[in-house]
Amino acid sequence: MAAPTASPPERTFRAVGPVIALCWLAVFFDGMDVNIYGATMPHLLADEGLGFTPALAGTIGSWTTFGMLIGALAAGSLTDWLGRKPLVTGSVVLFSLGSALCALAPGATVFGAGRFLSGLGLGGLMPVGLAIVAEFAPPRRAALATGLMMTSYHAGGMAATGIGLVVAPEHGWRWVFWAGVLPALIAVPLVVKWLPESPGVLFAKGRADEAYAVADRYGLERPGERQAPEAGAKGRMAAITALFAPGTRWATPLLWIASFAGLLLVYGVSTWLPELMRATGYSLSSSVTFLMIINAGGIVGMLIAGRTADRFGPVKVSALWFLLTAAGTFLLTAKLPLGAAYAVVFVTGIWLFSAQVMVYAATARVYAPRERATGLGWVTGIGRTGAVVGPTLGGAVLAGGDAGLGFTVFAVTAVLGAVAISLVPLAGNLRRRRAKGAAPSLLPATD
């Protein structure tokens, strides 16, 4: 077994670019699959044979996000045992199969089962992809790397909207879901061949030479006991227990609340923005275009937020972005001229999606390397309860005929997210005041 080097070579974006690119591709298809539902919603509601109503459509949207909750919690706990690559591969296969089931669905029940299956894969992919980027990215550019990866989610959302606009009117909504099978054919072979396994996971499995080879190739620190997750069921339970250790016990629930608020916004808006804009008085084609515009804003926002967070800290950026999201969504309660509405939706997209992603960037700094994947899994998993609530809440509000109330609810949720993430550093300071002489907290790194 080769001895660990004293210090790793410099880690650059050039060295780790292929890893981030593979994660980008996988998350692109994740974003496409999530947004296909919202992009086809008007056509699903118009298909009498499917039997959709706004309330039922919201419920099925929540089945998707409930599957994401289960997938995220499972992946966060299993990835240190099974490995990053198998979890990424399995997640992509699952949501591709779910899309195929939707395309074949004779009615709402089978369609809902397909969306639930997709949700399992969609939920499992995100925390694993975030953990890979957090591990491989240059330390001083971790937030930017996270933002870069998450631009793919919104690029996928724009692709879904474009497919929905072009394919659904001419060929029907089923062909849009058939496009959701492409990830299994495109991404899976590339991931299997080129995505490296985590050096920490390899080390924990007793494959130290392979772990050192991967670390040296990408400029990572060679793993030791501190970086490697503890093996077996005992290790998985220890990683969960560590989320409530003295240094993080107050930060953990605050991160969960912030993630809840962020994902309620992301999935509530992604599912219902076209219909909310239609209820406000815009045409069908304009309403669907709003979904593409908000995702375009999301791409710009990821790049701005990532660079800003590397300078000022992801907590501060996330809190400010949540507050700006609240202002943008509240403005949409008014019936604006079409051009002004497009501008407001674009700017709101800049803040809305990256506010949530900076919660993930903060989470990656709060937890030690050996608990990071589990911490991200639970933050994304518990946050998925917001993703469950968002589509159902949007459907209930729309069924009541009050689009303005829907935007107001989203604005209040954004304020909740801002308050929760702002308190994360305070939780660390409180812990240090009560436990002087204890081990240093990781929380100041989120400031």
Side-chain angles (χ1 to χ4, degrees), residues 55-365:
L56 177 58
T59 299
I60 289 176
S62 293
W63 292 356
T64 310
T65 49
F66 183 66
M68 291 178 180
L69 185 158
I70 296 173
L73 292 177
S77 298
L78 294 176
T79 184
D80 289 332
W81 175 40
L82 298 176
R84 310 284 195 257
K85 182 185 288 191
L87 264 294
V88 171
T89 303
S91 295
V92 174
V93 169
L94 274 178
F95 66 71
S96 297
L97 289 175
S99 190
L101 186 58
C102 288
L104 295 168
T109 301
V110 175
F111 186 95
R115 292 307 293 167
F116 176 78
L117 183 62
S118 289
L120 292 174
L122 296 168
L125 176 63
M126 191 63 70
V128 179
L130 289 165
I132 292 170
V133 170
E135 182 174 9
F136 281 81
R140 294 185 180 181
R141 293 291 182 267
L144 176 59
T146 301
L148 282 170
M149 186 194 79
M150 291 303 295
T151 62
S152 62
Y153 178 91
H154 303 287
M158 293 177 68
T161 305
I163 293 170
L165 284 170
V166 174
V167 175
E170 294 294 326
H171 304 286
W173 59 265
R174 294 181 187 274
W175 280 103
V176 181
F177 282 91
W178 279 120
V181 181
L182 292 175
L185 304 177
I186 297 173
V188 167
L190 295 174
V191 167
V192 169
K193 185 172 183 178
W194 297 110
L195 185 68
E197 187 53 85
S198 161
V201 172
L202 290 171
F203 186 87
K205 292 184 173 183
R207 296 157 62 183
D209 289 340
E210 292 178 58
Y212 296 155
V214 173
D216 293 345
R217 179 179 178 184
Y218 293 99
L220 279 63
E221 179 183 355
R222 285 190 169 188
E225 294 299 327
R226 186 176 67 86
Q227 292 85 7
E230 189 176 346
K234 182 180 178 181
R236 295 192 292 277
M237 184 57 65
I240 295 172
T241 304
L243 305 185
F244 297 94
T248 55
R249 65 173 52 145
W250 299 111
T252 292
L254 289 169
L255 290 167
W256 289 357
I257 293 169
S259 184
F260 168 88
L263 287 170
L264 189 153
L265 289 166
V266 167
Y267 288 95
V269 170
S270 295
T271 301
W272 287 111
L273 181 63
E275 288 300 305
L276 285 171
M277 299 309 287
R278 281 187 72 190
T280 305
Y282 299 96
S283 68
L284 172 61
S285 60
S286 295
S287 297
V288 176
T289 302
F290 280 116
L291 194 59
M292 180 176 286
I293 289 173
I294 201 169
N295 277 288
I299 292 174
V300 174
M302 294 298 170
L303 300 175
I304 295 173
R307 293 182 66 88
T308 307
D310 279 327
R311 181 174 181 183
F312 297 104
V315 165
K316 293 176 182 176
V317 173
S318 180
L320 177 59
W321 264 226
F322 270 124
L323 291 176
L324 291 169
T325 297
T329 51
F330 188 74
L331 276 176
L332 293 175
T333 60
K335 177 64 168 69
L336 301 171
L338 183 61
Y342 281 150
V344 170
V345 168
F346 178 80
V347 173
T348 301
I350 291 177
W351 318 125
L352 187 154
F353 298 104
S354 49
Q356 169 63 25
V357 172
M358 291 304 104
V359 173
Y360 296 148
T363 301
R365 296 193 184 190

Side-chain angles (χ1 to χ4, degrees), residues 408-438:
T408 301
V409 169
F410 290 145
V412 171
T413 301
V415 173
L416 172 64
V419 171
I421 195 66
S422 296
L423 292 175
V424 169
L426 180 61
N429 292 334
L430 178 63
R431 180 257 171 182
R432 288 194 298 273
R433 287 197 299 269
R434 290 183 174 179
K436 289 184 178 180

